[in-house]
C-alpha cells in the first residue's frame, strides 16, 4: 500500500509539474502577445481614429475614461474572486468577455459608430479587470518561491517588449496603407490589432488552476505515505 501511495504521489507530482510548466509558458506568451496587440490598437492610433471620426478631444477623453472606470469598478470584485474561485474558470470567463469586446470593436470600427465603440471599450475594461488579477495569481502559484522574482521580472520585460512591438507594427501598417493620419488608415490598424487580440485571448484556455484539481489528491497521497509506516510499527509492537 505504501508503494502504491508513493507511486500515486509521484505521478500526481509529475502531472502538476507539467501543468505548472504549461501555465508559466502560456502566461509569458500571453503577456507578450496581449501587450503587443493592445499597444497596436488601443494607443495613439485609437485616439487618432476617434478624433478624426468625431473631431472632438472630449470624445477621446470620454472613451478612455469609460474603459478605465469599468476596469477600476470591476477590479476589486475580480481580485476577491481570484482568491476564492478556480482561477482558470475566471480566465475563461474573462476570455469570453474579451471575445465579445473584440467583436463589438470590429463592428464599431467598420460602421464608424462612436457609441458602439464606447460600449466595446467598456467591455474591454471589464475583461482586463477579470483576467489580470487571475493571471498574476496563477502565475505566482505555478512558480516555486525561489523562481518567482526571476520569472516575474521576465514577465515585466515581455510586457514592455510587447508595448514596443505594437507601435512598431503600426508604423509598418501606416507605411503600407498610406503614411497619413486618415480614418481609413487608423481603421485598418485598429482592426488588425483587435484581430490579433484573439490569439492571447484563446491562450487563456490552456491554463489550469491546480488548487481546484490536484491538491486534494496530493494531500490524500501524502497522508497515505506518512501513515503507512506508523501502522506497520504498531502491528510489530503488538506481536
Amino acid at each position: 500500500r505504501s508503494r502504491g501511495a508513493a507511486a500515486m504521489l509521484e505521478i500526481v507530482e509529475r502531472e502538476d509539474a507539467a501543468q505548472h510548466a504549461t501555465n508559466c509558458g502560456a502566461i509569458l506568451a500571453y503577456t507578450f502577445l496581449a501587450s503587443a496587440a493592445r499597444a497596436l490598437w488601443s494607443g495613439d492610433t485609437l485616439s487618432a481614429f476617434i478624433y478624426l471620426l468625431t473631431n472632438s478631444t472630449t470624445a477621446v477623453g470620454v472613451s478612455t475614461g469609460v474603459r478605465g472606470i469599468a476596469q477600476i469598478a470591476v477590479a476589486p470584485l475580480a481580485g476577491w474572486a481570484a482568491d476564492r474561485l478556480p482561477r482558470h474558470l475566471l480566465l475563461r470567463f474573462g476570455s469570453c468577455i474579451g471575445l465579445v469586446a473584440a467583436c463589438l470593436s470590429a463592428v464599431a470600427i467598420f460602421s464608424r459608430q462612436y457609441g458602439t465603440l464606447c460600449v466595446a471599450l467598456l467591455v474591454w475594461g471589464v475583461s482586463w479587470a477579470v483576467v489580470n488579477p487571475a493571471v498574476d495569481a496563477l502565475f505566482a502559484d505555478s512558480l516555486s518561491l525561489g523562481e518567482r522574482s526571476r520569472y516575474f521580472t521576465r514577465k515585466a520585460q515581455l510586457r514592455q517588449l510587447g508595448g514596443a512591438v505594437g507601435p512598431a507594427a503600426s508604423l509598418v501598417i501606416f507605411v503600407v496603407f498610406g503614411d497619413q493620419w486618415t480614418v481609413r488608415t487608423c481603421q485598418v490598424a485598429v482592426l488588425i490589432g483587435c484581430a490579433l487580440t484573439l490569439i492571447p485571448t484563446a491562450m487563456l484556455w490552456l491554463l489550469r488552476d491546480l488548487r481546484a484539481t490536484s491538491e486534494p489528491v496530493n494531500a490524500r497521497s501524502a497522508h497515505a505515505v506518512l501513515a503507512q509506516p506508523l501502522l506497520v510499527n504498531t502491528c510489530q509492537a503488538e506481536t
Side-chain angles (χ1 to χ4, degrees):
R1 292 181 182 179
S2 60
R3 292 180 181 177
M8 181 185 297
L9 179 60
E10 183 179 356
I11 293 173
V12 171
E13 286 177 346
R14 289 179 181 176
E15 292 177 351
D16 288 358
Q19 184 60 48
H20 283 151
T22 300
N23 287 346
C24 292
I27 289 175
L28 290 176
Y30 165 83
T31 299
F32 171 74
L33 294 174
S35 298
R38 187 180 305 175
L40 174 58
W41 75 265
S42 69
D44 295 337
T45 305
L46 180 63
S47 298
F49 173 79
I50 295 174
Y51 179 76
L52 293 170
L53 185 65
T54 63
N55 197 28
S56 171
T57 56
T58 301
V60 177
V62 169
S63 63
T64 304
V66 165
R67 181 175 54 191
I69 290 173
Q71 192 168 1
I72 292 174
V74 177
L77 179 61
W80 176 87
D83 289 334
R84 291 164 176 80
L85 300 176
R87 288 156 187 164
H88 63 279
L89 297 182
L90 286 176
L91 292 174
R92 293 172 183 178
F93 176 63
S95 72
C96 293
I97 299 176
L99 177 60
V100 173
C103 293
L104 285 174
S105 299
V107 171
I109 298 300
F110 267 121
S111 61
R112 301 184 181 183
Q113 295 179 354
Y114 174 73
T116 306
L117 182 58
C118 286
V119 174
L121 292 174
L122 186 148
V123 179
W124 274 120
V126 174
S127 174
W128 295 343
V130 172
V131 168
N132 290 345
V135 164
D136 287 339
L138 186 58
F139 190 57
D141 285 347
S142 300
L143 298 168
S144 61
L145 293 177
E147 295 178 324
R148 289 181 180 177
S149 177
R150 176 163 59 96
Y151 277 94
F152 267 96
T153 300
R154 187 173 300 176
K155 184 172 177 287
Q157 292 171 339
L158 288 172
R159 183 184 296 113
Q160 294 296 325
L161 180 60
V165 168
S170 67
L171 290 177
V172 176
I173 293 172
F174 272 81
V175 169
V176 173
F177 291 94
D179 193 12
Q180 293 181 350
W181 289 99
T182 63
V183 173
R184 178 181 177 276
T185 307
C186 294
Q187 192 177 31
V188 171
V190 174
L191 284 173
I192 292 176
C194 288
L196 291 177
T197 60
L198 298 179
I199 299 174
T201 298
M203 292 182 64
L204 293 175
W205 288 74
L206 298 176
L207 306 177
R208 186 162 62 93
D209 188 0
L210 296 179
R211 299 179 314 161
T213 55
S214 63
E215 281 191 356
V217 178
N218 281 341
R220 287 195 299 269
S221 301
H223 291 161
V225 172
L226 292 174
Q228 187 64 27
L230 297 177
L231 294 175
V232 173
N233 289 341
T234 302
C235 294
Q236 290 177 349
E238 290 178 354
T239 56

